[in-house]
Amino acid sequence: MTEPKTIDALKAAFPPLEVSELRGQTRVVVPRESVHDVLKALKEQLAFDLLVDITCVDYLNYRGAKDRFGLVYLLANSETSERIIVRTFLSDPDPTVPSAVDLWEGANWLEREVWDLFGIRFSGHPDLRRIVLPEEFTAHPLRKDYPLQGRGERHNFPVVTRAED
C-alpha cells in the first residue's frame, strides 16, 4: 500500500495526475512525456529504490482503449515496503519512452525484454537488442496482431545441437 503522503507529493509535483487504488495497489497514470521525471522523483525524492518489473499490455481491439500499449512499471520502497504502479500509454507508429537504465541498472534487461516481445523502444537505452528471441526474428510475438501459429519465421532460426554425453 502506498502512503497518502507519497501520492500527495506526486500530485503536487506533477499535476494533473491520475491516481487510482484497487485492492490495496496504488496506480498512477502519467503522460509519456513525464514518465521519466515521475520515475526519477519516485526514486530520488520518495525513496522507491527498487524497480520490481517493467511490463506491457497490448490493448489492440480492447473496448474503450484510446492507446495501443500500456507500459507498466512496478516500484517498491525497500525501507517502508510501499509499492506503486506507474503506467503510461503509447501508440503506433512511435511507441517510444525514455529509458530508466540511468535510474535503475536492472531496467536494462527488463526494457530489452519489453522491446523484444512488444516492440516498445526505450530511447537512451545503452544496448537495446533482443534478449529472448534470436536477432534474426523480425516481429514482436506478444503483440495481439501476431498470429498464434507464427508467421513461418522459425525455419531460419539457428540450429542448436547438444553434444552427446
Side-chain angles (χ1 to χ4, degrees), residues 1-163:
M1 180 121 175
T2 307
E3 295 291 327
K5 65 180 181 171
T6 301
I7 298 305
D8 292 342
L10 277 176
K11 283 182 177 179
F14 302 98
L17 196 65
E18 184 182 327
V19 179
S20 63
E21 188 172 320
L22 179 66
R23 297 182 181 151
Q25 296 289 316
T26 302
R27 297 173 298 184
V28 178
V29 178
V30 300
R32 168 173 55 169
E33 303 78 34
S34 305
V35 71
H36 190 271
D37 294 334
V38 170
L39 293 172
K40 186 173 183 176
L42 283 164
K43 181 181 183 193
E44 295 177 359
Q45 297 165 18
L46 300 169
F48 282 85
D49 55 345
L50 178 62
L51 174 64
V52 177
D53 199 6
I54 303 173
T55 191
C56 187
V57 178
D58 186 349
Y59 289 107
L60 181 68
N61 300 328
Y62 191 84
R63 187 175 42 234
K66 296 179 179 117
D67 295 289
R68 169 84 188 258
F69 300 105
L71 189 61
V72 182
Y73 297 84
L74 294 108
L75 307 175
N77 179 324
S78 60
E79 298 252 336
T80 64
S81 298
E82 286 180 86
R83 290 181 171 261
I84 193 165
I85 299 166
V86 178
R87 297 174 67 196
T88 192
F89 292 96
L90 314 161
S91 289
D92 286 329
D94 185 31
T96 304
V97 294
S99 175
V101 173
D102 62 323
L103 302 173
W104 297 279
E105 186 62 36
N108 189 327
W109 292 76
L110 300 170
E111 289 176 355
R112 285 178 61 189
E113 180 182 36
V114 171
W115 153 248
D116 196 1
L117 299 175
F118 286 96
I120 306 299
R121 288 183 287 285
F122 295 88
S123 60
H125 190 282
D127 187 20
L128 195 59
R129 60 188 163 103
R130 293 205 179 264
I131 192 169
V132 178
L133 298 164
E135 287 295 327
E136 300 82 20
F137 199 83
T138 58
H140 305 285
L142 289 186
R143 286 184 172 209
K144 296 260 172 95
D145 55 359
Y146 185 79
L148 291 176
Q149 298 299 315
R151 295 187 178 127
E153 60 274 285
R154 286 178 247 168
H155 72 280
N156 64 358
F157 280 11
V159 176
V160 178
T161 57
R162 293 179 170 67

